[in-house]
Amino acid sequence: MEPLTILAAAGSLPVHVAAAAAAAGRPVFVIGLEGTADERLRSFPHEMVKWGQLGRALDLIAAHKTRDIVVAGLLDARPDFRGIRVDFGAFAVLPRILALLAGGDDTVLSGLVRLLEDLGYRVVGAHEIAPDLVAEPGLVVGLRLPATALADAKLAFGAARAIGLLDAGQAAIVVDTRVVALEGAEGTDAMVARVAELRRSGRVRWLGRRGVLAKCAKPQQDVRMDMPVIGAVTVRNVADAGLAGIVVEAGRVMIVERVETIAAAEQTGTFILAESGAAGR
């Protein structure tokens, strides 16, 4: 098994990927973003780097004789290069990095893939290393769906796909065929929390648990870099907002912390449904 290097940002996804690779007998090396990467990654062979230490990161990859690289995890914010001390090895590609940061998320991620591939590496999707995380078609959790759920899901997926084409977000919330929120730069969980606050303030109203959060990959998205994810926190936020459930695009969304996520859904009475071709592809 060839060695695998994981470039890890925040969240549990890099931990799952590292564990899956190790379980398959594959040598794993983690390069984590200092102050951001999950502390559990320290149980694997690892080094932590700061923003700007691209030269050091490339040296570490070369030293471990890696060809395959997984880029996984969330970035809470783009770096402010005014406050970064760039190491010597980064100067050769710094203009390309700065050009990428001028674009949207999809531009940044697709450009990073091209940069790594131009340097001779093969970028592998997290879902290729840990395929058990990918949502398969069907009802993941729940005994039945509310009567309005499928209509809400169809509209929500249409809205999510529309903002995805603009490289603006991956998710939308619809209640009783009314779009009440679209994901922006704040991310899915923050969007759901915003809807909960709108409901508490009376800006949006409905009785009981109604409506859905729909999440799908952007139509132009390279899922090797940024396949959308949901987890236990998402489920709890959805329940807190008074939504009935979550619908994700089967095959193009991952469910991380699956045991905890399913337990949270069962405890809160929240359904999770994976729909094939949900984004209208």
Side-chain angles (χ1 to χ4, degrees), residues 30 38 54 56 65 70 81 131 165 202 223:
V30 176
D38 193 304
L54 178 61
R56 180 168 176 248
K65 297 180 173 58
V70 170
F81 272 87
L165 286 168
V223 293

Side-chain angles (χ1 to χ4, degrees), residues 12-102:
S12 63
L13 179 58
V15 180
H16 289 289
V17 174
R26 191 167 193 176
V28 175
F29 179 63
V30 176
I31 301 176
L33 186 59
E34 189 171 299
T36 298
D38 193 304
E39 287 295 312
R40 290 175 290 178
L41 290 169
R42 295 182 182 274
S43 64
F44 300 92
H46 71 279
E47 291 284 349
M48 294 294 168
V49 299
K50 299 178 180 179
W51 278 114
Q53 292 185 312
L54 178 61
R56 180 168 176 248
L58 293 175
D59 287 344
L60 288 168
I61 294 171
H64 284 78
K65 297 180 173 58
T66 295
R67 185 168 72 102
D68 290 354
I69 299 176
V70 170
V71 181
L74 303 171
L75 292 176
D76 296 332
R78 294 189 187 186
D80 182 352
F81 272 87
R82 293 172 298 181
I84 291 176
R85 293 184 178 180
V86 179
D87 68 10
F88 180 77
F91 278 104
V93 292
L94 184 59
R96 291 183 65 174
I97 296 173
L98 293 175
L100 293 179
L101 291 173

Side-chain angles (χ1 to χ4, degrees), residues 115-141:
L115 173 59
L116 291 171
E117 290 177 338
D118 287 348
L119 293 173
Y121 298 107
R122 181 172 66 182
V123 177
V124 181
H127 61 289
E128 298 176 70
I129 306 300
D132 58 304
L133 297 180
V134 181
E136 297 182 354
L139 194 59
V140 180
V141 183

Side-chain angles (χ1 to χ4, degrees), residues 144-228:
R144 63 184 182 85
L145 301 182
T148 59
L150 292 180
D152 284 348
K154 182 177 180 180
L155 179 58
F157 273 125
R161 181 170 178 266
I163 62 172
L165 286 168
L166 298 173
D167 194 19
Q170 301 171 323
I173 292 174
V174 169
V175 181
D176 293 332
T177 66
R178 175 192 177 191
V179 178
V180 297
L182 300 172
E183 182 185 58
E186 80 275 33
T188 303
D189 289 328
M191 175 192 66
V192 178
R194 171 162 51 91
V195 170
E197 182 56 36
L198 287 172
R199 192 177 184 219
R200 282 191 286 269
S201 68
R203 295 290 301 275
V204 293
R205 299 176 184 273
W206 64 84
L207 297 176
R209 300 281 300 277
R210 300 182 69 81
V212 301
L213 162 69
K215 189 155 187 173
C216 60
K218 299 170 187 174
Q220 74 278 15
Q221 190 164 340
D222 186 341
V223 293
R224 290 180 298 169
M225 296 291 289
D226 188 31
M227 182 177 283

